[in-house]
């Protein structure tokens, strides 16, 4: 793959808990980006949200980080990063992307001694794109959840690799959004033909009801959940009366 553009894939989310489906996104996306003939995927990054996200049933970030690291022990290219999860408040996705973009660029410059020019598609320097499932792309439609300039930066400056899940029509989502349509060439849609509908929500439901989740999660993650008594009736009540932080934060910024 000499001459191809080095590419990092970043997945942001709750990972509450991380599932085989989350990890499968990386493999599907890497295959797709290699098939373009333009990119060489050199790394993947899992970035769990902070406790400040306020999502219903969200367990502490220390547990979500530990489970993600256990799940990805066998991967030689996907790593877990704790920067976002350690922030005192919820961090916008675009802010997390900027952080990793600077870090990746700085490492490249240190290694090669090149100038600090911004990476481009033709510079040979590493690029960063956001990896997500189709359900994530649907959040662009939720009123008040995203700032327009943040969507513009995510898809226009960085780029998006979106893997289809279930019946969600990612191409229609792009078509119906002026911002997404404008940057269509920077959005890569990946089709998963081997259906895998593992839902973290359904996994949590099974766990708190005492049902088996074997083969839905790595055994190491299941053992960790049991050892730390996670995903109980009590933990599911966490943040129940709290409004999701992105909705609060964006409202404050717009006032």
């Amino acid at each position: 793959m000499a001459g191809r553009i080095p590419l990092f894939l970043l997945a942001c989310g709750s990972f509450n808990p991380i599932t085989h489906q989350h990890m499968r996104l990386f493999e599907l996306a890497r295959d797709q980006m290699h098939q373009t003939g333009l990119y060489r995927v050199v790394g993947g990054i899992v970035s769990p949200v902070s406790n400040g996200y306020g999502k219903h049933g969200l367990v502490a970030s220390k547990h979500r980080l530990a489970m993600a690291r256990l799940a990805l022990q066998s991967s030689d290219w996907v790593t877990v990063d704790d920067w976002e999860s350690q922030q005192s408040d919820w961090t916008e996705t675009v802010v997390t992307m900027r952080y990793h973009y600077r870090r990746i660029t700085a490492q490249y410059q240190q290694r090669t001694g090149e100038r600090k020019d911004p990476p481009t598609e033709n510079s040979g320097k590493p690029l960063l794109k956001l990896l997500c499932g189709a359900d994530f792309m649907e959040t662009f439609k939720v009123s008040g959840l995203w700032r327009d300039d943040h969507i513009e930066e995510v898809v226009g400056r960085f780029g998006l690799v979106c893997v289809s899940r279930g019946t969600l029509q990612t191409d229609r989502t792009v078509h119906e959004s002026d911002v997404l349509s404008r940057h269509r060439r920077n959005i890569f849609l990946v089709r998963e033909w081997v259906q895998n509908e593992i839902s973290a929500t359904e996994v949590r439901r099974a766990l708190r009801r005492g049902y088996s989740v074997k083969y839905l999660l790595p055994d190491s993650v299941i053992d960790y959940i049991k050892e730390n008594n996670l995903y109980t009736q009590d933990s599911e009540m966490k943040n129940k009366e709290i409004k999701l932080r992105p909705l609060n934060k964006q409202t404050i910024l717009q006032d």
Side-chain angles (χ1 to χ4, degrees), residues 34-143:
H34 285 174
Q35 288 171 15
T36 66
L38 299 174
Y39 300 98
R40 173 172 54 91
V41 177
V42 295
I45 305 165
V46 169
S47 179
V49 297
S50 74
N51 296 332
Y53 187 48
K55 189 174 183 179
H56 189 189
L58 186 70
V59 303
S61 61
K62 67 177 183 179
H63 294 308
R64 291 180 286 113
L65 284 167
M67 288 186 286
R69 286 171 175 148
L70 286 170
L72 289 162
Q73 281 181 330
S74 64
S75 177
D76 61 358
W77 69 282
V78 184
T79 60
V80 181
D81 188 89
D82 66 358
W83 180 83
E84 182 182 359
S85 68
Q86 299 305 308
Q87 303 307 301
S88 59
D89 194 2
W90 167 75
T91 304
E92 293 93 336
T93 299
V94 72
V95 174
T96 302
M97 294 197 76
R98 291 171 191 160
Y99 165 79
H100 286 287
Y101 183 75
R102 290 193 300 268
R103 181 178 61 81
I104 291 166
T105 302
Q107 290 175 348
Y108 173 83
Q109 290 161 349
Q110 185 177 31
R111 188 171 65 251
T112 63
E114 290 198 13
R115 297 180 306 168
K116 296 183 178 180
D117 298 326
T120 66
E121 294 283 346
N122 299 315
S123 67
K125 298 177 182 178
L127 297 179
L128 175 71
K129 296 188 185 299
L130 183 66
L131 171 62
C132 68
D135 49 349
F136 182 98
M137 187 183 285
E138 289 290 303
T139 68
F140 290 147
K141 300 178 180 179
V142 179
S143 177

Side-chain angles (χ1 to χ4, degrees), residues 126-174:
L127 297 179
L128 175 71
K129 296 188 185 299
L130 183 66
L131 171 62
C132 68
D135 49 349
F136 182 98
M137 187 183 285
E138 289 290 303
T139 68
F140 290 147
K141 300 178 180 179
V142 179
S143 177
L145 190 62
W146 285 84
R147 284 171 44 182
D148 289 344
D149 59 322
H150 284 185
I151 298 176
E152 182 84 33
E153 186 172 352
V154 167
V155 296
R157 179 187 178 192
F158 295 109
L160 194 67
V161 182
C162 181
V163 180
S164 65
R165 291 189 67 182
T167 59
L168 293 176
Q169 298 179 309
T170 50
D171 52 348
R172 177 171 290 278
T173 301
V174 174

Side-chain angles (χ1 to χ4, degrees), residues 17 59-68 70 207 219-235:
V59 303
S61 61
K62 67 177 183 179
H63 294 308
R64 291 180 286 113
L65 284 167
M67 288 186 286
L70 286 170
L207 285 166
D219 287 345
S220 58
V221 173
I222 295 174
D223 291 341
Y224 184 92
I225 290 171
K226 290 179 179 178
E227 290 168 5
N228 290 274
N229 194 32
L230 302 180
Y231 303 117
T232 63
Q233 294 288 350
D234 289 340
S235 71

